[in-house]
């Protein structure tokens, strides 16, 4: 009888081992198949919806020279930046900024004002205004004037104005110096695809 019980235990153990191996095999094959299908689907969707990413950016210049006291933006310095995406390009968000290369502390104040107006198809589509309070030419030298603007195939002309507001400043701004340039950066805008 002892031999028979040993034999039954061996058979039961063998069947259990085979069952576990079979279960692991089915699980592994299932996971591999699932991964393959998911990977193949993702790859096909990417290829089907991929687009070129091309931005057309023109204009904008260095901003240097004497900044005169003014009462409105049109009396100060200005430059215009044109930006759009190329035909058939993927959507993009744009930031336009002033990179300050030199600013004396006597004009890193609320009285040194920037203003930006965006025009697309003869219609104003963007407006923003700020100042240079706390800006310097080393650690805090990027002033974003346009933030996350959704570009289209139609050109948007952004005119950036810079002036010393004569209603705010006094003679303490004499002998000041400012030097900078307009820059832009874009990133692909990811949306939900159907």
């Amino acid at each position: 009888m002892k031999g028979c019980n040993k034999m039954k235990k061996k058979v039961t153990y063998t069947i259990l081992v085979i069952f576990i191996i079979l279960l692991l095999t089915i699980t592994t094959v299932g996971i591999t198949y699932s991964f393959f299908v998911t990977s193949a689907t993702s790859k096909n969707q990417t290829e089907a919806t991929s687009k070129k990413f091309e931005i057309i950016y023109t204009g904008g210049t260095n901003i240097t020279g004497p900044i005169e006291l003014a009462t409105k933006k049109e009396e100060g310095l200005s430059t215009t930046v044109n930006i759009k995406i190329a035909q058939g390009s993927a959507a993009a968000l744009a930031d336009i900024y002033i990179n300050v290369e030199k600013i004396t502390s006597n004009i890193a104040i609320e009285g040194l004002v920037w203003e930006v107006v965006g025009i697309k198809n003869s219609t104003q589509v963007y407006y923003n205004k700020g100042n240079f309070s706390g800006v310097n030419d080393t650690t805090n030298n990027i002033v974003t004037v346009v933030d996350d603007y959704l570009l289209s195939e139609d050109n948007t002309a952004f005119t950036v104005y810079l002036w010393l507001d004569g209603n705010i400043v006094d003679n303490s701004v004499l002998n000041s110096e400012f030097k900078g340039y307009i820059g832009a950066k874009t990133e692909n805008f990811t949306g939900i695809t159907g």
Side-chain angles (χ1 to χ4, degrees):
M1 276 291 181
K2 278 189 171 180
C4 192
N5 280 340
K6 267 188 165 179
M7 183 69 137
K8 281 182 181 178
K9 283 184 182 180
K10 274 187 173 183
V11 169
T12 304
Y13 179 73
T14 304
I15 291 173
L16 183 62
V17 169
I18 290 172
F19 177 76
I20 290 172
I21 290 172
L22 187 59
L23 185 62
L24 285 173
T25 302
I26 290 170
T27 303
T28 303
V29 168
I31 291 171
T32 304
Y33 176 75
S34 174
F35 175 78
F36 175 76
V37 169
T38 302
S39 297
T41 301
S42 297
K43 183 178 180 189
N44 289 338
Q45 285 176 348
T46 301
E47 289 173 1
T49 60
S50 67
K51 289 184 168 187
K52 66 182 178 178
F53 181 62
E54 185 177 353
I55 308 301
I56 300 169
Y57 174 85
T58 59
T61 58
N62 290 335
I63 303 171
T64 57
I67 302 174
E68 302 295 331
L69 292 176
T71 57
K72 57 185 179 180
K73 66 181 181 287
E74 292 81 8
E75 296 173 350
L77 300 174
S78 68
T79 188
T80 300
V81 174
N82 296 289
I83 191 166
K84 66 180 181 175
I85 58 173
Q87 188 173 5
S89 178
L93 295 174
D95 291 349
I96 298 175
Y97 58 89
I98 300 172
N99 187 325
V100 179
E101 295 178 310
K102 175 76 175 169
I103 187 169
T104 52
S105 61
N106 62 334
I107 59 171
I109 58 173
E110 289 182 16
L112 180 57
V113 180
W114 59 263
E115 195 167 338
V116 62
V117 178
I119 305 291
K120 179 168 59 172
N121 298 325
S122 302
T123 303
Q124 182 175 322
V125 294
Y126 193 89
Y127 175 81
N128 199 4
K129 182 178 182 178
N131 61 61
F132 287 84
S133 178
V135 174
N136 60 51
D137 50 21
T138 54
T139 58
N140 187 24
N141 63 335
I142 302 295
V143 178
T144 301
V145 297
V146 175
D147 189 28
D148 285 342
Y149 178 76
L150 182 59
L151 298 176
S152 70
E153 292 179 7
D154 294 323
N155 183 66
T156 304
F158 290 99
T159 302
V160 180
Y161 300 90
L162 181 65
W163 79 97
L164 281 166
D165 188 339
N167 297 314
I168 298 175
V169 299
D170 56 24
N171 288 339
S172 64
V173 298
L174 295 175
N175 300 318
S176 59
E177 188 178 353
F178 182 91
K179 181 180 179 184
Y181 63 87
I182 302 293
K185 64 181 178 179
T186 58
E187 63 181 55
N188 195 328
F189 176 70
T190 306
I192 298 171
T193 58

